[in-house]
Amino acid sequence: MTPLIRVTTLEAFRKYMEQSDYANYEITEQSVIDSITGEFRGNVYTKIGTAFHKIVEEGTPKCDKVDAGERTFLYYNKEQKEHVPCGRSFDIDGDNIILDIPQCRVALDYRNEHLESFHEIRTYKDYGMAIVTGCADIIDGFEIRDIKTKYSYPTDSDYTNSCQWKFYLELFGADTFHFDLFVFDGYDKDKHGFDVRGLPLRKYDPAITCYRYDGMEQDNMNLLHSFLEWAEYRDLTKYLLKEKIED
């Protein structure tokens, strides 16, 4: 059986190998291993992003109304309270992600900008030594768009250096890839957790756009080869022997 590898796993491996500091958490070898063995179940950042994605994809996903109220948090070890507006709660793998109405509108406005697009399209490519798979958030004509929620000010190089867009352009036969970033301004995990109501949600403009280039396919092949060598050395290849990816 041929190894089957997600592009997201290859990107995690690339970040680990480059030893860069990403966002508010570090990519470690163990986190790459977890992405392969299936032990990673998501975190507060990814689950908030999933709720945002659901609105973009479905328009009106199943959710519950949440009344306005108060948020209690510690500030310099003293309990503080602040008002939070009403919102909507989304069940993401057992956790209730709560967004306010203006935040939901940001997602809906973005959805309306791409009404003729296709959402969540998965494809596969056989590289001989492995099959690589990726799921595009949005295919808009001949362009690919990827949605990411952020919790601090983004750095363009975090995305231009990514292997995600390179593999996606090859997998889908496209020439242009856009990272569409949405920033929850002022987010603090300890204070806000799964409830981001009251935070400004801003689209990072312009989108970070990447283009196909000569030698891109060889760069993808080189990274894939390095990953497979590492996986074999760590005795992880057995976890990659799957017939398909279950979304």
Side-chain angles (χ1 to χ4, degrees):
M1 188 178 293
T2 305
L4 177 59
I5 306 165
R6 292 177 183 264
V7 171
T8 51
T9 299
L10 292 170
E11 173 61 6
F13 172 73
R14 182 198 67 82
K15 288 179 179 180
Y16 161 66
M17 293 300 291
E18 290 188 359
Q19 292 293 298
S20 297
D21 185 17
Y22 283 81
N24 295 321
Y25 53 92
E26 184 180 354
I27 301 295
T28 64
E29 184 177 43
Q30 187 58 51
S31 67
V32 182
I33 292 172
D34 289 347
S35 74
I36 296 170
T37 60
E39 295 176 10
F40 179 71
R41 294 292 182 265
N43 55 39
V44 62
Y45 304 106
T46 60
K47 290 186 177 184
I48 294 170
T50 298
F52 186 88
H53 274 74
K54 286 180 70 70
I55 299 172
V56 173
E57 182 183 359
E58 302 177 22
T60 54
K62 182 180 178 181
C63 60
D64 295 315
K65 293 183 179 180
V66 179
D67 294 332
E70 287 186 330
R71 172 185 289 120
T72 301
F73 60 97
L74 292 178
Y75 184 71
Y76 287 101
N77 293 321
K78 292 185 178 180
E79 186 176 283
Q80 303 288 326
K81 293 183 178 181
E82 66 179 14
H83 173 76
V84 288
C86 64
R88 299 292 184 268
S89 175
F90 303 86
D91 184 344
I92 306 298
D93 296 330
D95 289 308
N96 293 320
I97 309 302
I98 307 176
L99 281 69
D100 61 33
I101 303 305
Q103 293 165 349
C104 292
R105 288 202 188 102
V106 171
L108 286 171
D109 287 346
Y110 179 79
R111 171 184 169 83
N112 291 335
E113 292 173 5
H114 305 284
L115 284 177
E116 303 301 319
S117 303
F118 297 95
H119 296 261
E120 301 296 320
I121 304 300
R122 180 170 294 283
T123 192
Y124 298 78
K125 181 178 174 63
D126 191 342
Y127 284 80
M129 54 184 157
I131 296 172
V132 175
T133 182
C135 185
D137 287 344
I138 292 178
I139 296 181
D140 192 356
F142 296 102
E143 301 181 345
I144 299 173
R145 312 198 75 95
D146 189 77
I147 305 163
K148 295 192 185 298
T149 49
K150 302 298 297 178
Y151 309 92
S152 59
Y153 196 77
T155 302
D156 286 17
S157 61
D158 290 350
Y159 301 93
T160 56
N161 291 340
S162 167
C163 76
Q164 180 188 1
W165 64 269
K166 301 174 186 179
F167 273 102
Y168 274 44
L169 290 182
E170 184 175 2
L171 290 173
F172 289 93
D175 294 324
T176 307
F177 185 107
H178 305 282
F179 287 103
D180 290 321
L181 311 182
F182 296 85
V183 183
F184 284 94
D185 194 10
Y187 178 81
D188 182 295
K189 185 173 70 171
D190 293 330
K191 177 180 178 180
H192 301 102
F194 294 116
D195 185 351
V196 294
R197 286 178 294 168
L199 293 175
L201 178 59
R202 299 188 175 95
K203 188 172 185 292
Y204 181 75
D205 282 321
I208 300 172
T209 301
C210 305
Y211 302 95
R212 176 184 290 271
Y213 62 91
D214 292 340
M216 182 185 75
E217 292 83 354
Q218 187 59 54
D219 288 343
N220 289 344
M221 184 68 79
N222 292 343
L223 179 62
L224 177 58
H225 186 264
S226 295
F227 170 79
L228 288 170
E229 286 188 335
W230 170 83
E232 183 176 359
Y233 178 73
R234 289 286 184 264
D235 194 27
L236 297 168
T237 306
K238 59 189 175 186
Y239 295 103
L240 302 170
L241 302 179
K242 304 173 183 177
E243 293 184 359
K244 63 178 181 177
I245 294 293
E246 299 291 346
D247 288 316

